[in-house]
């Protein structure tokens, strides 16, 4: 099969800093597939919550605000479009304020139901798609063609994220590592759709792999899944 003949869904789940976004974009480009960043949707919902002046831990208020927000994301690997009620929030969703609050917002079941519905509609519109998040293989697309769960050692993840954000001082890196630990804990222990590998996911540990090696591995899995099917 040529890479471009892939039809189906590739899911990439895992904690922060394992390489999901960069790998998912590159795999989508290689397969000629659409790309969906579900984390960006939870981050956009968090912008709406913060702008409404609501406490991210107040589940009822969070659900109400998000139900009234229009969250739109693009599905092209090479351009990022994230909007809340028509305002571009693509830069703001990566800021520290949103990162601090996003795990609380995404633990609210009504928020998850709303965004999962939206994610499934976006996926249904694509013939081939790579979707990244925390619960894609377990909840959003349980019948996906290929499921990958990315892991990496916590120190490697913190180093990568620090380099990406241009953080250099030991204090900044320590603070970031603490934030990753806190989010891992929050995302893995929530009652609704906790972060964990699907039973049929292939676990790829990227600690000692370069980004391109991970991309090759995922493309290879997509290629063999289609060959097995045909
Ligand atoms: N295998 C890898 N080795 C080293 N750095 C990587 C690897 N994969 C991704 N990166 C880099 O690590 C940073 C975080 O990756 P990203 O894709 O944003 O992770 P995630 O979406 O899982 O949080 C980025 O700067 C990315 O280029
Ligand atoms: N499918 C998803 C995607 C993200 N999330 C939440 O959204 C947060 C941000 O996701 P992200 O993928 O942008 O995070 P990073 O890995 O980029 O740091 C996560 O910490 C989860 O709390 C989720 O609950 N379910």
């Amino acid at each position: 099969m040529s890479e471009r003949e892939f039809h189906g869904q590739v899911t990439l789940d895992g904690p922060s800093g394992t390489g999901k976004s960069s790998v998912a974009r590159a795999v989508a480009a290689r397969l000629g597939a659409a790309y969906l960043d579900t984390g960006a949707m939870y981050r956009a919902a968090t912008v709406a919550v913060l702008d409404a002046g609501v406490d991210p831990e107040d589940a009822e208020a969070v659900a109400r605000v998000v139900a009234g927000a229009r969250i739109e994301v693009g599905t092209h690997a090479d351009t990022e479009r994230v909007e809340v009620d028509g305002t571009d929030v693509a830069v703001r969703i990566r800021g520290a304020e949103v990162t601090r609050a996003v795990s609380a917002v995404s633990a609210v079941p009504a928020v998850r139901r709303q965004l999962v519905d939206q994610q499934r509609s976006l996926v249904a519109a694509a013939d081939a798609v790579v979707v990244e998040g925390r619960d894609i293989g377990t909840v959003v697309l349980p019948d996906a063609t290929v499921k990958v769960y990315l892991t990496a050692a916590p120190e490697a993840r913190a180093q990568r994220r620090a380099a990406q954000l241009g953080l250099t001082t030991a204090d900044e890196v320590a603070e970031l590592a603490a934030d990753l630990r806190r989010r891992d804990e929050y995302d893995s222990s929530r009652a609704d759709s906790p972060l964990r590998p699907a039973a049929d996911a292939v676990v790829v540990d990227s600690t000692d792999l370069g980004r391109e090696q991970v991309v090759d591995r995922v493309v290879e899995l997509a290629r063999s899944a289609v060959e097995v099917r045909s």
Side-chain angles (χ1 to χ4, degrees):
M1 177 201 92
S2 114
E3 287 168 12
R4 296 251 156 195
E5 286 166 33
F6 176 79
H7 305 286
Q9 302 151 347
V10 177
T11 66
L12 269 171
D13 290 301
S16 186
T18 49
K20 293 181 305 297
S21 292
S22 43
V23 168
R25 281 177 194 280
V27 169
R30 288 257 301 262
L31 297 176
Y35 159 72
L36 180 62
D37 177 356
T38 61
M41 297 173 75
Y42 288 98
R43 287 173 177 272
T46 304
V47 167
V49 168
L50 294 171
D51 283 356
V54 152
D55 176 359
E57 301 281 348
D58 180 346
E60 225 170 272
V62 164
R64 195 173 54 245
V65 169
V66 177
R70 186 159 47 89
I71 293 162
E72 292 177 286
V73 293
T75 54
H76 290 286
D78 48 357
T79 51
E80 186 176 32
R81 186 173 78 89
V82 190
E83 292 176 11
V84 176
D85 295 329
T87 300
D88 178 356
V89 295
V91 172
R92 206 175 142 204
I93 60 166
R94 305 294 163 198
E97 194 196 8
V98 170
T99 300
R100 262 194 305 275
V102 64
S103 286
V105 171
S106 66
V108 176
V111 171
R112 301 203 71 82
R113 275 197 299 278
Q114 177 181 337
L115 295 188
V116 167
D117 279 353
Q118 206 177 332
Q119 289 156 14
R120 288 185 178 142
S121 306
L122 289 165
V123 166
D127 172 54
V129 64
V130 181
V131 188
E132 60 138 318
R134 299 289 189 286
D135 61 338
I136 312 305
T138 50
V139 174
V140 182
L141 302 172
D143 299 323
T145 324
V146 179
K147 297 181 185 178
V148 176
Y149 189 86
L150 269 182
T151 61
E155 307 75 45
R157 293 164 47 207
Q159 284 303 334
R160 289 174 190 174
R161 196 28 63 85
Q164 190 180 30
L165 295 172
L167 306 180
T168 47
T169 70
D171 279 358
E172 285 175 327
V173 176
E175 196 181 320
L176 183 130
D179 173 69
L180 290 191
R181 275 197 301 276
R182 184 185 59 80
R183 270 203 295 146
D184 284 357
E185 174 61 26
Y186 215 128
D187 294 345
S188 308
S189 62
R190 69 182 173 217
D192 188 343
S193 317
L195 169 66
R196 59 177 176 77
D200 51 352
V202 177
V203 178
V204 176
D205 184 338
S206 73
T207 311
D208 298 316
L209 297 177
R211 199 196 70 150
E212 279 315 306
Q213 289 176 291
V214 182
V215 172
D216 285 345
R217 173 100 175 93
V218 178
V219 168
E220 193 47 46
L221 288 168
R223 198 201 308 258
S224 12
V226 172
E227 276 166 6
V228 167
R229 253 186 344 195
S230 57

